[in-house]
Amino acid sequence: MIVKKIPILQGFPAPDTVNYLSNVKNELSDNNAIFYDIETTGLSRYTASVYLIGAVHYEKNQWMLYQWMAENEEEEAAVLQEFSVFLENVGYTIQYNGNRFDQPFLEERYRKYKMDSPFVEKPSVDIYQLLKPCQSLLKLTRMKQPDLEKIVGIHNRKYVDGGQCIRLYRNFIKKRQSKIAEEVMGHNEEDLLGIGKIFPLLSFRKLYDGEYHPKHCEVIDQELKMTLELPVAVPISVSCGNTSFYLTVSEQEAKILVHLNHGKLRQYYRNYKDYEYIPGEDTAMPKSISKYMDKSLRFAATPQTCYTWFRCDESFLNDPAKQMHYLTHTLSFFLDNFNK
């Protein structure tokens, strides 16, 4: 087995940022995450094997890269064992699409060799799953890891892709040339460095999760202008909007512009299945109230019709609590529907 350990001198987020954006709370979580990525001989965890595992862990005030690579198919169990020992005192794991691929693949391989899974009671932070709701905001047509790498400034990879690595690894088993091993391990290293680089994009989740604070609020020419303070800076600037609103996000601030309708705003609600829409009054009502109305006057609410109206007056403009109530539901609606 080939074992590699080197320091990562730049490109990875600070440990405190990792802990904050991961939002994992357990007794081992503080500064004790690992980023990991695997290389396999195929997509099926039942018939293919894992031949390389790479991991990044923070220790002695720096990020360290570890790699374990099997020199033949018989060493798969040894690679799995090394990774299992490595995970013993880890608080949680971070991967890209790992909940659907990496972790299930590894767990099946551990089962094959009758080894205990090292993932028991370890939270898994899947960057892909957490960023999927932000796809439209980030203006991405696809959510492959290289797509996210491009928007954070990674454009030219040095090594071959994962599919080509399978062919290279098979050649390595036959020829045992160190140059081939370096190429395969280089791809895995680039994947891990890419995961570290895109990880700060999770800061955009704070907009979806309602973790912000209204800083300024005013109405000018029938337009509500709000400035929000974010708990952490975003790594890139983005903007989006439609005829109803416009949003810009940069560094640690978000600015939103909402068009008023005769001085009124729509208050949207997330739990639209609990509401019915009343076209005659252009408003949504809780089903507990609307059930007493004639059926012909009410329809099941949709995310687009689950709203009520309120006047954007001084009491709203001067009350951050009212502004947060408005934003908690309505900003989420805007972000989920601005391009529909």
Side-chain angles (χ1 to χ4, degrees):
M1 176 174 26
I2 300 174
V3 180
K4 182 178 179 181
K5 176 183 177 181
I6 60 171
I8 296 177
L9 302 179
Q10 59 183 0
F12 250 71
D16 288 346
T17 300
V18 172
N19 287 333
Y20 178 69
L21 294 180
S22 296
N23 197 30
V24 173
K25 305 296 181 187
N26 64 26
E27 60 182 12
L28 294 175
S29 65
D30 287 348
N31 295 337
N32 207 9
I34 70 151
F35 296 77
Y36 79 90
D37 184 60
I38 66 175
E39 307 300 332
T40 67
T41 59
L43 297 177
S44 172
R45 57 185 181 267
Y46 303 104
T47 58
S49 62
V50 56
Y51 64 86
L52 171 60
I53 302 177
V56 175
H57 184 240
Y58 193 77
E59 52 193 57
K60 296 181 180 179
N61 297 318
Q62 65 180 344
W63 290 104
M64 297 295 298
L65 168 70
Y66 291 80
Q67 289 177 303
W68 302 272
M69 178 171 161
E71 296 188 72
N72 53 59
E73 294 180 357
E74 288 70 34
E75 286 192 344
E76 180 186 23
V79 169
L80 292 169
Q81 178 60 32
E82 287 294 320
F83 189 56
S84 182
V85 172
F86 185 75
L87 286 176
E88 283 181 358
N89 295 312
V90 166
Y92 59 100
T93 64
I94 302 171
Q95 343 77 27
Y96 192 82
N97 201 31
N99 287 353
R100 294 200 307 178
F101 182 74
D102 299 65
Q103 185 167 322
F105 196 106
L106 288 172
E107 287 180 328
E108 177 56 35
R109 304 316 292 170
Y110 280 113
R111 277 192 290 269
K112 171 181 168 59
Y113 294 105
K114 296 180 172 55
M115 300 165 66
D116 293 333
S117 169
F119 299 105
V120 176
E121 296 184 358
K122 292 195 189 304
S124 169
V125 177
D126 189 328
I127 299 174
Y128 168 80
Q129 289 184 342
L130 290 173
L131 283 180
K132 191 67 173 71
C134 308
Q135 181 173 351
S136 295
L137 178 63
L138 297 174
K139 295 181 172 62
L140 292 171
T141 56
R142 303 185 313 166
M143 286 287 288
K144 299 287 187 181
Q145 182 176 324
D147 299 316
L148 282 97
E149 290 180 2
K150 288 178 182 177
I151 68 174
V152 297
I154 301 176
H155 298 287
N156 298 310
R157 281 196 172 215
K158 178 179 177 182
Y159 297 99
V160 297
D161 63 29
Q164 292 172 299
C165 279
I166 296 174
R167 175 180 55 81
L168 283 175
Y169 179 67
R170 287 171 178 157
N171 284 338
F172 168 76
I173 291 177
K174 295 175 183 178
K175 302 177 181 179
R176 297 300 173 90
Q177 294 179 351
S178 60
K179 184 178 180 180
I180 299 177
E182 290 171 4
E183 184 77 15
V184 174
M185 297 178 84
H187 161 78
N188 179 257
E189 180 179 339
E190 282 188 328
D191 270 355
L192 284 165
L193 293 176
I195 291 174
K197 190 73 173 178
I198 67 177
F199 180 84
L201 290 171
L202 290 180
S203 54
F204 285 104
R205 277 296 305 251
K206 302 304 178 183
L207 285 169
Y208 293 79
D209 296 338
E211 295 184 40
Y212 43 73
H213 177 71
K215 218 164 113 178
H216 182 70
C217 187
E218 64 180 345
V219 171
I220 300 177
D221 297 330
Q222 285 297 299
E223 290 182 332
L224 172 67
K225 296 183 178 181
M226 303 183 75
T227 302
L228 314 178
E229 182 179 4
L230 303 178
V232 63
V234 295
I236 60 172
S237 298
V238 298
S239 61
C240 66
N242 54 29
T243 57
S244 298
F245 88 108
Y246 192 76
L247 173 74
T248 60
V249 189
S250 182
E251 298 182 349
Q252 208 166 337
E253 197 170 77
K255 294 185 178 181
I256 181 169
L257 178 72
V258 184
H259 298 291
L260 300 180
N261 188 333
H262 302 293
K264 293 182 178 181
L265 289 170
R266 283 177 175 174
Q267 171 69 68
Y268 286 90
Y269 303 97
R270 287 180 174 176
N271 54 332
Y272 66 93
K273 292 183 179 179
D274 296 330
Y275 284 78
E276 289 186 307
Y277 178 63
I278 316 301
E281 299 182 28
D282 189 23
T283 191
M285 286 187 184
K287 289 181 178 179
S288 59
I289 298 175
S290 62
K291 66 181 181 180
Y292 297 108
M293 299 179 66
D294 189 291
K295 288 185 178 180
S296 64
L297 302 176
R298 51 192 169 95
F299 301 89
T302 65
Q304 291 74 26
T305 61
C306 191
Y307 59 80
T308 57
W309 292 91
F310 71 94
R311 185 160 294 282
C312 183
D313 54 19
E314 289 298 320
S315 67
F316 173 80
L317 297 176
N318 296 318
D319 190 337
K322 290 183 178 180
Q323 295 161 22
M324 276 300 298
H325 176 76
Y326 166 71
L327 289 166
T328 299
H329 298 277
T330 303
L331 182 54
S332 296
F333 170 79
F334 284 152
L335 290 170
D336 291 338
N337 296 276
F338 70 85
N339 60 353
K340 294 182 181 179

